[in-house]
Amino acid sequence: MMNTGTSVTHYSVPEEMEEGSVVANLATDLGLDVQTLSGRQMRIDVVANKKYLDINRSTGELYISERIDRELLCPLKTTTYCFLKLDATIENPIRMFNIEVEIIDINDNAPHFRRGTMHLDISESSPIGERFSLNNAADPDVGSNSVKNYHLSSSEYFAIEIQTGRDGTKFADLVLKKPLDREQQSVHNLVLTAVDGGTPTRTGTASIVVRVLDVNDNAPSFDKDRYVVQVMENSPIGSLVLKLSATDLDEGSNSDIVYSYSLYTSERTQNMFNLNPENGEVTVKEMINYEEDKLYELEVVASDKGQVSLTGQCKVTIQVSDMNDPEISVKSFQSPVKENIEVDTVIAVVSVSDKDSGDNGEVDLYIPHNMPFRLRESSDNYYELLVSEQMDREKIPEYDITFTVKDRGSPPLSDNVTMTLELLDVNDNVPKFPQSFYKIRVMENNAPMALLSSLTAFDPDLHENQYLVYFIIEKEIANTSMSMLFSINPENGDLYALKTFDYEIEKEFLFHIEARDSGSPPLSSNVTVHIIIVDQNDNAPVIVSPWRAHGSVVEEKIPRSTDKGSLVAKVIALDTDSVHNSRITYQFLQVTDATLFSLDQYNGEIRTMRMFSYRDPRHLRLVVVAKDNGEPALSATVTIKLSTVETAVKAYTDMTEVPLESDLFSTLNLYLVIGLGSVSFLLLITILVTIVLKCQKPKSSQTAPPSRNSVISERNSTIADSTLVSNDAYWYSLFLAETRKGKLVVRQPVPKGSRYIVSSIPRGTGVTDTSDSAASTLQV
């Protein structure tokens, strides 16, 4: 039979108890005999809050399993109570016990303010008793351990009043107890202290910075109520008479001061003296004459810029002192004058006088230094102004000449007058170009009337002396004048091309441009213009070797016994564009057998990569493309048809005359003429080598059937260069190469009117035997 029963047992512990501390013995407090129950296998279970509390099952003691922080366990301050509740169970028979442990707060936290410094702006016009809210301090403790009071540092202007909220929270108000005066003290520094009710007490502090805001409660004031000053008659306009200064104890716009005349200052006085409203300076506004007025009274008002302006005033008495001033009078003055006026020309006459006697009546006349003028006394009290050096309007267009007369009294008195001398322009400057030489690059194939450059000159003179007209100085090139090729705008110097240029025909032009002003007489200057035609890749390569009489197909024969690496043919192309655009590279476009031939991409040589085999076809076709280096690249192609033949070795070969086609040389090719210069050095070497080989003695060998060795017709040689043609009376020799049959093919120069012989010479022979050869002649 199971007996059950429930009861609530209450315990109280302070929050500072250490871990392992015993709260109570449950077995004893619940009336249980532990020894008796242990025989019945008593089991006590903690149902809840085992994190902080636990039960020793052998003794029945309730102990602290982890130190308790009441503020962490019960953060809400809605009540001062904080409980830990748990359930214990005993079996056989089952009994349940409800246990609650109250955590008692201790004063382990000091009050603290959310902000360490509080700033308040309070107007100095605030009334006594006005309240200003302050931030309250917080204390996580409860009850008497929380904030109980506030204290304020000593102050004759402020006090605090403590208020209590509905939840018991204490907070303080700052109360003004004495009127503030910003001009006496602009900032007040206070310290607010919060105190809790624990034992011992704990405190927290915060700084209070009160900045007193200004109100316009101070009027500007002068250091004197009346000022008396002396001023000499004829004092220069703008000279300082007196500087007034008022002060205002306020700040900001409340202390900014504006000076003005009061209504009691006469209009005549205001016209004689100027009052600066910003700085209070009183200066001479009109010439003062003692005989007209000897005394002036001024009343000056100083006003601040507050919303409600406050003012202060003072009186100024200005007494005029009498004197006889020296006088100056300009009798004549010549202006304007030409800038090239002659030196020692008189341009002005001036008279001076002084009514005083003695040294006070002796006067001297001055003009400023470093001016191109000098004074010459012409008669008593009369002076002439002369030109002392040449003037230049372009440097200084006018002169302000101040004549100053000064007596010899003490202190000296003076008078002055200023005259302006204007200089008239003279055409004394030639037009100037910014550069002495213009290099202008023009891309060939340009559009007609294209703007090339603007050649603008500058002339520092004025008016018609400055107006420039531009011309091209005529120069003929190949019976063509520059004005047929170029045009210049006569008004602004814009240079235009009148035609489309071709780099291959015209590469540069050199001429002059003249700029002429419209003065009388006119002046001019010129500048050199160098037009450089820039090449475009507008010419395709032209293949000059191997020669093709008609079409683009060349037929060649080659022995099948040709060794590996032998020269089969050489493709040579010429391009009349500039060096960059005329660089030629070669490549196969089509090839019957890519394993049989190689092509050097730079010199166009076609060589065998291996020997011929019986499997190789007898007829081969090679298509070579020659490309230039332009952008985009242009190209030309040539087709070479190779036929392999069976050949036999012969010791001697008759010289064979081969007729040359007259039309081959009838048309002179511009491209070949250009190539002639580049290989002229090789031609000289060719002649020397040919002569040496002809002089060698031939060796005995078996004869072989005659073969055609004409370079032009069948090209049986391994030719490495092109054949060049010119209009001259001589054909240049060309050493082509060693033939596949051990011979050299030689062209020899002969005088005009003779026949041109192409002959085959056996290699290694000393003497060439031409007795068996059939001569082929060509009249040139």
Side-chain angles (χ1 to χ4, degrees):
M1 184 174 182
M2 180 181 299
N3 294 322
T4 61
T6 61
S7 61
V8 178
T9 305
H10 181 85
Y11 297 99
S12 296
V13 295
E15 63 176 319
E16 79 273 10
M17 287 189 69
E18 298 292 335
E19 181 179 338
S21 299
V22 177
V23 177
N25 190 313
L26 293 180
T28 301
D29 293 343
L30 299 177
L32 302 175
D33 186 348
V34 176
Q35 294 180 352
T36 303
L37 294 177
S38 62
R40 294 160 51 191
Q41 297 181 354
M42 178 191 71
R43 182 168 67 84
I44 301 176
D45 294 329
V46 177
V47 177
N49 293 310
K50 193 171 182 180
K51 176 180 178 181
Y52 297 105
L53 300 174
D54 204 351
I55 297 175
N56 189 327
R57 289 168 177 76
S58 61
T59 62
E61 292 177 335
L62 180 65
Y63 66 92
I64 303 296
S65 61
E66 182 179 321
R67 182 163 181 164
I68 302 172
D69 185 347
R70 183 189 180 284
E71 286 71 39
L72 181 62
L73 184 64
C74 301
L76 300 179
K77 298 180 65 174
T78 55
T79 178
T80 59
Y81 299 103
C82 182
F83 292 98
L84 283 176
K85 296 183 180 181
L86 53 91
D87 296 329
T89 304
I90 300 176
E91 295 182 349
N92 297 325
I94 295 177
R95 295 184 60 187
M96 296 185 65
F97 300 93
N98 295 328
I99 302 170
E100 64 179 13
V101 179
E102 181 182 2
I103 309 303
I104 305 301
D105 179 54
I106 63 172
N107 191 23
D108 57 348
N109 293 280
H112 69 279
F113 292 89
R114 290 191 300 273
R115 295 181 181 176
T117 302
M118 291 177 275
H119 295 272
L120 294 176
D121 290 339
I122 301 177
S123 173
E124 64 176 327
S125 62
S126 298
I128 296 176
E130 187 169 352
R131 309 168 71 90
F132 307 93
S133 297
L134 302 175
N135 294 332
N136 64 308
D139 192 329
D141 294 326
V142 295
S144 61
N145 294 329
S146 63
V147 177
K148 291 298 181 184
N149 203 356
Y150 292 91
H151 300 291
L152 183 67
S153 59
S154 176
S155 173
E156 62 177 312
Y157 291 96
F158 298 98
I160 58 171
E161 289 185 1
I162 310 301
Q163 304 291 332
T164 303
R166 292 182 179 180
D167 59 352
T169 301
K170 302 288 186 178
F171 57 90
D173 286 340
L174 189 66
V175 181
L176 182 64
K177 63 180 184 180
K178 182 180 179 180
L180 297 175
D181 188 344
R182 189 204 61 80
E183 288 70 39
Q184 291 185 5
Q185 185 174 353
S186 60
V187 177
H188 297 265
N189 293 301
L190 308 173
V191 177
L192 180 65
T193 303
V195 182
D196 65 20
T199 304
T201 60
R202 293 179 178 269
T203 62
T205 61
S207 298
I208 302 174
V209 179
V210 177
R211 186 168 69 94
V212 182
L213 302 181
D214 182 60
V215 296
N216 192 23
D217 55 351
N218 291 278
S221 63
F222 293 92
D223 54 356
K224 294 181 181 180
D225 292 335
R226 178 178 290 274
Y227 297 87
V228 179
V229 294
Q230 299 284 333
V231 63
M232 301 295 292
E233 68 169 331
N234 297 332
S235 294
I237 294 176
S239 58
L240 181 66
V241 177
L242 174 67
K243 180 177 175 59
L244 298 172
S245 179
T247 57
D248 193 317
L249 298 179
D250 294 321
E251 67 175 358
S253 61
N254 295 331
S255 65
D256 293 339
I257 296 176
V258 177
Y259 300 90
S260 61
Y261 286 123
S262 73
L263 297 176
Y264 298 102
T265 303
S266 67
E267 184 176 353
R268 170 62 180 165
T269 301
Q270 295 184 35
N271 291 334
M272 291 297 298
F273 300 97
N274 182 67
L275 174 62
N276 190 312
E278 300 297 327
N279 56 26
E281 289 183 349
V282 179
T283 56
V284 176
K285 191 175 182 180
E286 291 185 0
M287 295 299 296
I288 303 173
N289 192 333
Y290 176 82
E291 285 70 23
E292 292 181 1
D293 273 308
K294 301 177 178 60
L295 188 71
Y296 295 91
E297 293 283 348
L298 298 82
E299 185 174 84
V300 178
V301 177
S303 305
D304 61 30
K305 295 181 180 179
Q307 291 185 348
V308 178
S309 179
L310 301 180
T311 61
Q313 57 272 338
C314 71
K315 292 185 177 181
V316 179
T317 299
I318 299 177
Q319 298 175 350
V320 180
S321 299
D322 182 29
M323 64 175 54
N324 286 321
D325 301 331
E327 296 179 354
I328 185 171
S329 175
V330 178
K331 300 302 182 181
S332 67
F333 188 80
Q334 182 180 356
S335 178
V337 297
K338 291 185 177 182
E339 60 176 317
N340 62 347
I341 186 173
E342 293 184 358
V343 175
D344 290 336
T345 301
V346 177
I347 59 174
V349 176
V350 181
S351 69
V352 296
S353 63
D354 194 322
K355 298 178 182 179
D356 293 327
S357 61
D359 290 341
N360 295 338
E362 297 292 328
V363 295
D364 298 301
L365 182 65
Y366 305 93
I367 60 173
H369 295 295
N370 301 323
M371 279 192 172
F373 310 104
R374 65 184 179 91
L375 288 170
R376 182 177 66 185
E377 188 173 4
S378 61
S379 61
D380 289 342
N381 298 329
Y382 278 87
Y383 292 85
E384 293 175 337
L385 182 69
L386 292 84
V387 177
S388 62
E389 59 185 72
Q390 189 64 52
M391 293 180 288
D392 189 347
R393 187 206 62 81
E394 285 71 37
K395 293 182 179 179
I396 303 177
E398 63 181 22
Y399 293 89
D400 290 329
I401 306 173
T402 300
F403 299 93
T404 301
V405 60
K406 185 180 297 185
D407 65 24
R408 299 177 185 176
S410 181
L413 302 179
S414 63
D415 188 16
N416 62 74
V417 62
T418 300
M419 307 295 290
T420 300
L421 177 66
E422 181 184 356
L423 299 183
L424 297 177
D425 183 57
V426 175
N427 191 26
D428 56 351
N429 291 277
V430 299
K432 294 181 180 179
F433 286 92
Q435 301 173 216
S436 60
F437 184 84
Y438 286 88
K439 182 181 289 186
I440 304 172
R441 297 182 180 273
V442 180
M443 188 68 68
E444 69 168 326
N445 302 320
N446 58 294
M449 292 309 297
L451 177 65
L452 304 184
S453 181
S454 182
L455 311 179
T456 303
F458 171 74
D459 193 322
D461 292 324
L462 290 180
H463 310 305
E464 67 274 1
N465 298 331
Q466 186 186 40
Y467 299 147
L468 302 182
V469 181
Y470 299 88
F471 307 91
I472 295 178
I473 299 179
E474 285 298 335
K475 176 182 179 182
E476 288 192 357
I477 298 179
N479 297 323
T480 302
S481 65
M482 285 296 104
S483 59
M484 299 292 292
L485 302 176
F486 303 97
S487 171
I488 190 166
N489 188 317
E491 295 182 355
N492 58 24
D494 287 347
L495 183 64
Y496 298 89
L498 296 180
K499 61 167 288 186
T500 300
F501 296 109
D502 187 347
Y503 171 83
E504 287 70 38
I505 300 176
E506 304 152 315
K507 292 183 172 54
E508 63 180 5
F509 301 94
L510 194 67
F511 56 93
H512 298 282
I513 297 294
E514 178 181 306
R516 182 184 306 163
D517 62 29
S518 302
S520 179
L523 301 178
S524 64
S525 64
N526 60 68
V527 66
T528 303
V529 178
H530 186 194
I531 304 293
I532 300 175
I533 308 302
V534 180
D535 180 54
Q536 279 187 332
N537 191 30
D538 57 349
N539 290 279
V542 175
I543 295 177
V544 298
S545 177
W547 178 256
R548 301 156 294 165
H550 303 285
S552 60
V553 178
V554 177
E555 295 184 358
E556 299 280 0
K557 290 183 180 181
I558 182 172
R560 293 187 69 83
S561 60
T562 298
D563 293 334
K564 174 183 177 182
S566 297
L567 185 63
V568 176
K570 180 168 183 177
V571 179
I572 298 177
L574 298 179
D575 193 320
T576 57
D577 288 321
S578 64
V579 175
H580 176 77
N581 291 329
S582 65
R583 292 173 184 169
I584 306 296
T585 56
Y586 305 89
Q587 65 185 45
F588 280 130
L589 193 60
Q590 294 179 13
V591 60
T592 303
D593 189 343
T595 65
L596 187 54
F597 301 103
S598 66
L599 173 61
D600 190 301
Q601 64 172 332
Y602 298 109
N603 62 24
E605 290 183 353
I606 302 174
R607 293 183 181 271
T608 56
M609 298 174 63
R610 60 177 175 81
M611 295 188 65
F612 287 94
S613 68
Y614 69 93
R615 295 188 184 89
D616 293 324
R618 292 190 176 275
H619 299 285
L620 302 166
R621 186 173 182 267
L622 306 177
V623 179
V624 178
V625 60
K627 290 185 178 180
D628 61 23
N629 195 41
E631 183 63 36
L634 302 178
S635 62
T637 60
V638 61
T639 301
I640 303 174
K641 291 185 178 181
L642 292 178
S643 299
T644 59
V645 297
E646 299 294 339
T647 59
V649 180
K650 59 179 286 186
Y652 300 97
T653 302
D654 297 334
M655 293 187 66
T656 304
E657 297 179 358
V658 181
L660 302 178
E661 299 178 5
S662 60
D663 63 344
L664 178 62
F665 302 99
S666 60
T667 301
L668 300 180
N669 193 311
L670 175 62
Y671 304 117
L672 302 180
V673 173
I674 297 174
L676 174 61
S678 65
V679 298
S680 59
F681 182 70
L682 293 176
L683 299 180
L684 295 176
I685 296 177
T686 300
I687 296 172
L688 295 176
V689 174
T690 303
I691 294 173
V692 171
L693 292 177
K694 281 189 175 184
C695 292
Q696 292 181 355
K697 182 178 182 180
K699 295 181 181 180
S700 60
S701 62
Q702 297 179 354
T703 61
S707 62
R708 299 175 66 192
N709 295 294
S710 171
V711 177
I712 301 302
S713 60
E714 292 186 300
R715 300 189 51 83
N716 289 332
S717 66
T718 55
I719 181 171
D721 293 285
S722 63
T723 302
L724 304 178
V725 182
S726 74
N727 284 324
D728 296 336
Y730 297 93
W731 295 104
Y732 285 88
S733 297
L734 176 64
F735 170 51
L736 299 178
E738 183 180 0
T739 65
R740 302 185 188 89
K741 297 180 180 180
K743 303 180 185 62
L744 298 177
V745 180
V746 178
R747 287 185 178 176
Q748 300 192 26
V750 294
K752 184 174 182 182
S754 302
R755 291 183 296 177
Y756 186 78
I757 301 175
V758 179
S759 60
S760 298
I761 306 170
R763 182 179 59 179
T765 62
V767 180
T768 302
D769 185 4
T770 60
S771 59
D772 297 333
S773 64
S776 175
T777 63
L778 174 65
Q779 295 291 335
V780 293

